Every structure is written in structure tokens, then in C-alpha cells.
Amino acid sequence: DAEITQSPRHKITETGRQVTLACHQTWNHNNMFWYRQDLGHGLRLIHYSYGVQDTNKGEVSDGYSVSRSNTEDLPLTLESAASSQTSVYFCASSEMGWDEQFFGPGTRLTVL
Amino acid sequence: GESVGLHLPTLSVQEGDNSIINCAYSNSASDYFIWYKQESGKGPQFIIDIRSNMDKRQGQRVTVLLNKTVKHLSLQIAATQPGDSAVYFCAERPDYGGSQGNLIFGKGTKLSVKP
């Protein structure tokens, strides 16, 4: 069955370190998204991609970057982790634009 | 444990009863709406969607109602089961004259089903 996976599921890092969160989908979807989820907020969009070599900034993109070298993967990089980036991160993919996004299980990141 | 359910509005229902979860959306330009279910420690799971040219859409045990006049969306779950316990949130997609905006997610409602 097609699926979307994220790794690691849990990560503890220190302020200033570079961190990369992996997202892999086997749906063959062109559209992929990264969100963060925090108490008191709905899911907030970090970056998204409509296809290979395409990346776009979302609502809360500062301090994050993504790259899309193939259809299946959209890794999210925190260039220099900050305590404000402690959050649960979700990757999603969709077949058509913003419709019916399928979410991964999430990565809980703690920045000390 | 999962912290996403803390500090959210909570709806507590008895097993077997019907549940109604409400969502007020913000953008009158939104033309597409989704309901998601999120269980503790898991990613959001798509439940049902509806486009703005419809008032009602039914799925298996779930119905979504859309009232564009008052910008209100509701999710009805029939014969609620313990497995329905989760956080439910809506999402809207604005359409700016043919250019689609990002999904805007609500903060959610925690549904608790009592056996």
C-alpha cells in the first residue's frame, strides 16, 4: 500500500545545530507540504513543493529550507535550530493541488 | 502523550449517540473544505471534504454541512464509537479569482466518547 513516512519520529537537538527531517511518500504525488503543529495554533505551513525542483515558502518559513530532487522525498532542514522550533512536524502530500492531503505520522522535535 | 488535545474545546458524548462538531471558517473566498481526525500521537487523517457548490455531503457514518451565509461548517458523526475519540479540525482553502491559497487549519475540537 502507498504511504507517507517520516523519520526520525522523535529528535532532541541543541540550539544552533543543523537538523534534517525526512519525508518519503510512495503515492507518486507531485505536491508535498511541511507543517508544524503547536499548542494554541492550527497546523501552519512551512514550505511546499509542486514537483521536482520546485519549492515555495509558506506562512512560517524563516529558519527552514527544503529541497526536492525527486518525486518521493521532501526533506526539511533547520539551518540553525532554535528553541522556538520545538514542535511537532508533519509532512503531507496530495495528488491535486491543496485537495485531500495525506499526512505522515509526524516528528516530534525538541531543541534544547 | 499527545499534547495537541490540551486546551481545546471538548465535546463529550455517550457511545451510540450522534456527535456534531462545529467550525467557523474565516475567509468568504474559501471554496473547498476538509475535515480531519487526529488521534493521539498520529498524523491528521482525512475524513471528508466538501466544495462550496454543495450544502451537504455524506460519507460512511459522517455528514458535513456547509452554510456559506454564516461561514459555518459542521461534521456530524452518527452512532459515535469509542474509536471516534480524537481531535477533529476543519481546513478551508481560499480561492482568489482562480488562484488557490494555502489550506487554513482550525485549532480543533476534542471529541471524547464515553462507553
Side-chain angles (χ1 to χ4, degrees):
Chain A
D1 287 346
E3 61 178 356
I4 181 166
T5 57
Q6 293 183 236
S7 63
R9 294 296 313 279
H10 301 272
K11 174 77 175 177
I12 300 174
T13 191
E14 295 177 342
T15 301
R17 289 192 180 269
Q18 184 182 77
V19 177
T20 296
L21 308 183
C23 174
H24 179 80
Q25 54 98 3
T26 58
W27 294 98
N28 200 34
H29 288 163
N30 283 325
N31 309 301
M32 296 184 73
F33 312 85
W34 272 105
Y35 295 92
R36 60 178 290 174
Q37 187 175 49
D38 304 286
L39 278 176
H41 294 275
L43 288 164
R44 291 184 290 174
L45 183 66
I46 305 172
H47 281 286
Y48 59 101
S49 169
Y50 287 143
V52 176
Q53 303 300 332
D54 176 75
T55 62
N56 305 280
K57 293 181 179 181
E59 176 188 358
V60 291
S61 61
D62 287 350
Y64 304 94
S65 64
V66 293
S67 61
R68 189 87 181 273
S69 58
N70 59 53
T71 300
E72 296 79 17
D73 299 288
L74 186 71
L76 177 71
T77 297
L78 286 68
E79 303 295 343
S80 177
S83 57
S84 60
Q85 294 177 308
T86 293
S87 186
V88 180
Y89 291 85
F90 289 101
C91 179
S93 71
S94 72
E95 182 176 8
M96 292 180 63
W98 297 93
D99 292 9
E100 194 173 345
Q101 295 182 21
F102 295 90
F103 283 81
T107 294
R108 182 176 292 277
L109 176 68
T110 302
V111 183
L112 301 176
Chain B
E2 180 55 59
S3 61
V4 72
L6 296 177
H7 310 300
L8 291 175
T10 299
L11 174 66
S12 186
V13 300
Q14 202 70 38
E15 180 179 358
D17 288 351
N18 297 333
S19 302
I20 300 176
I21 300 170
N22 296 306
C23 176
Y25 64 92
S26 59
N27 196 322
S28 57
S30 292
D31 70 338
Y32 176 69
F33 306 87
I34 310 174
W35 277 102
Y36 282 96
K37 171 186 180 183
Q38 187 174 21
E39 297 175 273
S40 181
K42 296 184 179 180
Q45 176 186 358
F46 174 91
I47 302 174
I48 192 168
D49 59 0
I50 188 169
R51 301 192 185 277
S52 59
N53 61 352
M54 302 174 69
D55 297 323
K56 178 180 179 179
R57 190 167 187 220
Q58 289 184 293
Q60 186 177 10
R61 277 203 309 121
V62 295
T63 300
V64 55
L65 299 177
L66 175 62
N67 186 330
K68 296 179 286 294
T69 302
V70 294
K71 293 191 289 186
H72 184 268
L73 195 66
S74 69
L75 177 71
Q76 300 178 0
I77 304 174
T80 313
Q81 302 168 1
D84 294 326
S85 294
V87 173
Y88 291 81
F89 53 88
C90 64
E92 60 180 299
R93 185 195 67 194
D95 186 303
Y96 303 111
S99 173
Q100 295 175 357
N102 304 339
L103 285 180
I104 302 170
F105 290 86
K107 296 176 185 177
T109 296
K110 183 176 182 179
L111 176 65
S112 178
V113 181
K114 296 175 288 187

